[in-house]
Amino acid sequence: MKTARKVTGVKRGYTIQAVVRAVSIINAFQSTSEVLDLRVVAARVGLHKATTFRLLETLVETHLLERAGKQGYRCCVQPARTKRYRIGYGSQSSLLPFTATVSDSLVVAANAANIDLLVLSNGLSPRVALQNADTFVTEKVDLVIDSQINIGVAAQIAVKFSEARIPFIALDIPHPGAIYFGADNYKAGRMAGRHLARWATKNWKSGPEQIILLGVDAAGPLLNARLTGVIDGINEVSSFGHNTPTHHYDTKGGQFEATLDIVRRHIRRKKPERALIGAVNDSTALAALQAFREAGIERSCAIAGQDGSLAARDEMRRSSSRLICSVAYFPETYGERIVRLALDVLKHKPVAPAIFVQHELLTPQNVDKVYPNDTWMKSSPERI
C-alpha cells in the first residue's frame, strides 16, 4: 500500500494565481487602520508596481479595499493572521513626560497592528526592571521592548532574555544583545552645546563664568554622552569652554523635583552670574530654570534641554525665556516605528543593530514652525 506524501512548494493545478496575488495584497495590510501607498504594498508583496496597482484598484472596485487620501489604500476586512504576536513593554516611568509620550504612541501602534501588548512599569528601579524581565520570560512573550535606564542591570536583563530566546529592543539605553532604538546622544548634545556657545557669545560680552551639567549617572556614559556632546559643542564654536569651571550633578533619574533641589543648593553655594546649563532632558532643564527664576536671577542663566517636550516648547514661547533650546526626538512617532521594527524582527527580516531617531534643534525662533499644532492640541476637548 502506497503512502501519500504531502509535497510542499509545488503549484497545484487548480490554483488561480490571480486570486493568490489578490490575497497577498490584502495580507500586506497589518490591520484595517493601516494606510499604505502603492510603493509600500508592492514592496511587501514583491510584485511589480503596475501589477500591484491593477490589483489594488480591482480590490477597491470590489469593496475589499478603499481609497485613503490621494495615494493611500486601506483594507476593509481584517486580514487573517496565523498568530497574534504578544509583546512585552517595560516602560521607564510615567513621571517622565518623554516616556509617557512614547508609551502612548506605542499602545496606539500595537493596537493598530493587532498586537497584544503586555505593559509593565520599571519605575526607574533596577530591582523592578529585573522582576519585570522575569515576568516577561514567564509570560513567554514573543519579543520585549525595554526602556530602563539603570546600566548596572543591563547585562543581567540581557541574559534573561537570551536564555529564554526572546529577542528584545532596548529604548534609549543600549543593552548587550539588544537592538538599540533611540537617540544619538552625543550628536544631540553637540547640537545643544553649539547653540549654547553661540548664544553666550552674542549675549554675554564676558562669556559664561560657569557651566552646569545635569546628568543621569545611573544610565552610565551612554546617556550622559549628551553632556559630553554639550561640552564638545561649546568648545567647537568658542574658546571659553576650556577654562570655564564645570559642575556635574546627578539628577537621580532625570526627575524634576530632585533636580530642583540640586540647583537650588548650587545657586546658594556658587552664586552664579552667567551660567550655561546643559541638561540631560527637559524635566531637568525646566527644574533648573525654576530654581534660577525663584532666586530672581533667571537672566543669569541660559539652558539647553533634550527631548523637545510640550512643556519645554511652551516655555520657549515665553518672552525672553532662558530655556534657549531643546533637541527634539519626536517621541510621538516612536510607536509606529518600534512596532514596525518589532514585526521585522519577529518575521526574521534583516534589521540594523541600532536605529537612531531624527534630531532637530528647537529654539524660540522655530518652535512654532516645527510644532504648529501645539495650541490646537491643548485646546482639544479630548485633552481636557
Side-chain angles (χ1 to χ4, degrees), residues 188-251:
R190 277 184 64 205
M191 293 172 68
R194 290 195 295 264
H195 190 74
L196 279 172
R198 293 189 182 106
W199 187 95
T201 300
K202 179 179 178 181
N203 292 276
W204 290 336
K205 292 182 180 180
S206 302
E209 44 84 27
Q210 62 180 263
I211 297 173
I212 303 172
L213 301 176
L214 304 172
V216 177
D217 293 352
L222 295 167
L223 186 61
N224 279 345
R226 297 179 184 183
L227 306 183
T228 304
V230 167
I231 294 297
D232 288 353
I234 291 173
N235 293 334
E236 184 180 328
V237 298
S238 68
S239 59
F240 50 69
H242 296 286
N243 301 316
T244 305
T246 300
H247 308 275
H248 178 107
Y249 295 106
D250 176 27
T251 61

Side-chain angles (χ1 to χ4, degrees), residues 330-353:
F330 307 100
E332 62 274 11
T333 68
Y334 274 35
E336 184 178 349
R337 293 186 62 191
I338 294 170
V339 165
R340 193 183 313 132
L341 172 62
L343 290 173
D344 284 345
V345 172
L346 290 168
K347 294 174 182 177
H348 306 290
K349 294 182 179 181
V351 298

Side-chain angles (χ1 to χ4, degrees), residues 22-326:
V23 172
S24 71
I25 295 287
I26 293 174
N27 284 333
F29 293 82
Q30 296 172 354
S31 71
T32 54
S33 62
E34 184 177 40
V35 175
L36 303 177
D37 62 18
L38 170 63
R39 176 183 57 81
V40 173
V41 176
R44 288 189 179 182
V45 299
L47 295 175
H48 191 275
K49 284 185 179 179
T51 302
T52 304
F53 176 73
R54 290 196 296 271
L55 287 166
L56 284 168
E57 289 300 312
T58 301
L59 291 168
V60 169
E61 193 173 323
T62 55
H63 306 294
L64 294 176
L65 299 182
E66 65 181 7
R67 282 277 190 179
K70 291 183 179 180
Q71 299 180 327
Y73 296 88
R74 183 186 293 111
C75 188
C76 298
V77 295
Q78 181 65 50
R81 292 285 177 251
T82 57
K83 177 181 180 181
R84 185 182 185 189
Y85 290 117
R86 192 163 188 240
I87 292 178
Y89 170 52
S91 68
Q92 279 191 46
S93 170
S94 59
L95 296 175
L96 300 173
F98 183 88
T99 301
T101 302
V102 171
S103 298
D104 288 345
S105 70
L106 189 54
V107 169
V108 170
N111 287 336
N114 196 34
I115 288 172
D116 183 9
L117 193 66
L118 173 59
V119 181
L120 301 175
S121 175
N122 289 324
L124 300 174
S125 164
R127 178 184 58 81
V128 175
L130 286 167
Q131 290 174 347
N132 288 341
D134 288 332
T135 299
F136 290 138
V137 171
T138 301
E139 291 288 331
K140 297 181 180 179
V141 298
D142 297 300
L143 179 143
V144 171
I145 302 163
D146 209 10
S147 176
Q148 77 88 25
I149 66 170
N150 294 279
I151 196 68
V153 296
Q156 293 168 267
I157 289 173
V159 167
K160 291 177 185 292
F161 295 145
S162 176
E163 291 180 346
R165 298 181 181 274
I166 297 175
F168 76 112
I169 299 168
L171 303 188
D172 304 319
I173 306 297
H175 284 47
I179 299 165
Y180 174 74
F181 184 97
D184 184 333
N185 291 308
Y186 177 75
K187 175 182 176 181
R190 277 184 64 205
M191 293 172 68
R194 290 195 295 264
H195 190 74
L196 279 172
R198 293 189 182 106
W199 187 95
T201 300
K202 179 179 178 181
N203 292 276
W204 290 336
K205 292 182 180 180
S206 302
E209 44 84 27
Q210 62 180 263
I211 297 173
I212 303 172
L213 301 176
L214 304 172
V216 177
D217 293 352
L222 295 167
L223 186 61
N224 279 345
R226 297 179 184 183
L227 306 183
T228 304
V230 167
I231 294 297
D232 288 353
I234 291 173
N235 293 334
E236 184 180 328
V237 298
S238 68
S239 59
F240 50 69
H242 296 286
N243 301 316
T244 305
T246 300
H247 308 275
H248 178 107
Y249 295 106
D250 176 27
T251 61
K252 311 302 180 185
Q255 298 184 74
F256 183 94
E257 293 298 333
T259 307
L260 181 60
D261 186 54
I262 288 166
V263 179
R264 282 170 173 165
R265 292 200 303 267
H266 176 88
I267 290 172
R268 289 195 296 268
R269 290 196 311 266
K270 301 297 182 180
K271 298 180 172 50
E273 296 179 0
R274 297 179 307 281
L276 291 184
I277 302 175
V280 73
N281 62 16
D282 283 337
S283 293
T284 55
L286 292 168
L289 180 62
Q290 180 168 320
F292 273 79
R293 190 171 282 162
E294 287 176 351
I297 56 171
E298 181 178 353
R299 297 185 66 80
S300 297
C301 70
I303 305 172
Q306 300 278 338
D307 292 347
S309 68
L310 177 59
R313 301 195 302 266
D314 285 345
E315 176 59 40
M316 283 188 283
R317 292 184 175 100
R318 289 171 55 113
S319 177
S320 302
S321 173
R322 288 308 175 103
L323 180 63
I324 65 168
C325 70
S326 178

